[in-house]
Amino acid sequence: FWWGVLRDLPKPSELLTRKQSLTTKIYDRHGILLYKLYKNQNRSIVALTSLPEYVVEATLAIEDAEFYQHPGFSIKGISRAMRSNLASSGLQGGSTITQQLVKNTLLTSERTLLRKLKEFVLALEVEYFFTKHEILSMYLNEVGYGGTVYGIEEAADYYFGKSARELTLAEAALLAGLPASPTVYSPFGSRPDLATMRQHLVL
């Protein structure tokens, strides 16, 4: 069983070699953006070092406060998920940022124990293969913020009409709260008050 699981795992290096969906941008001769072309994912890459520190800190606060301490998985998160799973029929996550990155890029999103096992093993390998800085950078450029909006750069543009480099603390907090459930927490949804409550929780 274990050999079958490990044998079929993708390689962490595929995070560097995979074909990532990126938005094509067309500018006029003065550098003014005219059009964006994309299919299912509107994504532009931004360097982690160009972002204000609070953009990263807001995401860590709500998604994975122990990111810099754990080896790819969180004992607290697993324990919390197990308690929730025992209390209900659903299969809950407890995933770290590393596990979310693995799930979104190298695995499917099926909710099975086998997939969670693969996610766990791959997260350990990714943590060994990449630095925390590289993992955070890949995550922030990969994660979905609602609809076709992927990555912090396009999320900043979609929700606030600016680059992620220009986000305020309040704006960063709102965006950080979206990936857990973009439909529920969208400020453009039917319950914008939930977006505000989530934003305050992040802050």
Side-chain angles (χ1 to χ4, degrees), residues 10-203:
K11 297 280 191 295
S13 58
E14 290 180 29
L15 286 170
L16 299 176
T17 59
R18 68 195 172 89
K19 187 174 182 181
Q20 191 177 31
S21 297
L22 297 176
T23 297
T24 298
K25 298 180 180 180
I26 300 174
Y27 297 86
D28 70 8
R29 60 184 174 180
H30 303 293
I32 297 174
L33 180 65
L34 298 177
Y35 302 105
K36 289 184 179 181
L37 304 175
Y38 56 89
K39 190 174 182 181
N40 299 316
Q41 297 185 1
N42 179 17
R43 177 189 288 107
S44 297
I45 301 298
V46 63
L48 192 65
T49 52
S50 70
L51 300 175
E53 285 187 17
Y54 50 74
V55 171
V56 176
E57 290 167 353
T59 296
L60 292 178
I62 197 67
E63 288 292 331
D64 190 356
E66 298 177 314
F67 177 72
Y68 282 103
Q69 285 76 49
H70 65 63
F73 66 93
S74 166
I75 297 297
K76 286 183 181 178
I78 292 173
S79 300
R80 185 171 59 249
M82 287 178 66
R83 286 195 301 271
S84 178
N85 292 337
L86 289 173
S88 67
S89 58
L91 185 62
Q92 180 138 50
S95 296
T96 63
I97 278 178
T98 311
Q99 288 174 285
Q100 292 178 53
L101 175 66
V102 164
K103 180 184 74 173
N104 293 336
T105 56
L106 301 177
L107 299 173
T108 66
S109 58
E110 61 179 335
R111 298 172 70 83
T112 65
L113 287 173
L114 180 59
R115 199 270 298 159
K116 288 296 290 183
L117 178 59
K118 291 180 178 180
E119 177 187 298
F120 177 84
V121 174
L122 263 176
L124 292 175
E125 292 186 348
V126 166
E127 289 269 352
Y128 178 79
F129 199 86
F130 297 101
T131 66
K132 290 286 189 179
H133 179 93
E134 290 170 327
I135 293 168
L136 258 181
S137 180
M138 287 186 282
Y139 173 83
L140 284 170
N141 281 304
E142 183 66 36
V143 67
Y145 288 88
T148 60
V149 181
Y150 287 81
I152 189 70
E153 180 68 8
E154 289 301 334
D157 183 57
Y158 178 75
Y159 290 102
F160 298 110
K162 60 174 64 175
S163 169
R165 301 173 182 84
E166 304 166 322
L167 289 170
T168 66
L169 173 58
E171 292 165 346
L174 189 142
L175 293 183
L178 288 176
S181 185
T183 303
V184 173
Y185 298 123
S186 172
F188 302 149
S190 59
R191 293 286 306 276
D193 57 307
L194 295 180
T196 303
M197 289 173 60
R198 181 77 169 170
Q199 178 192 40
H200 289 174
L201 176 61
V202 173
L203 290 169

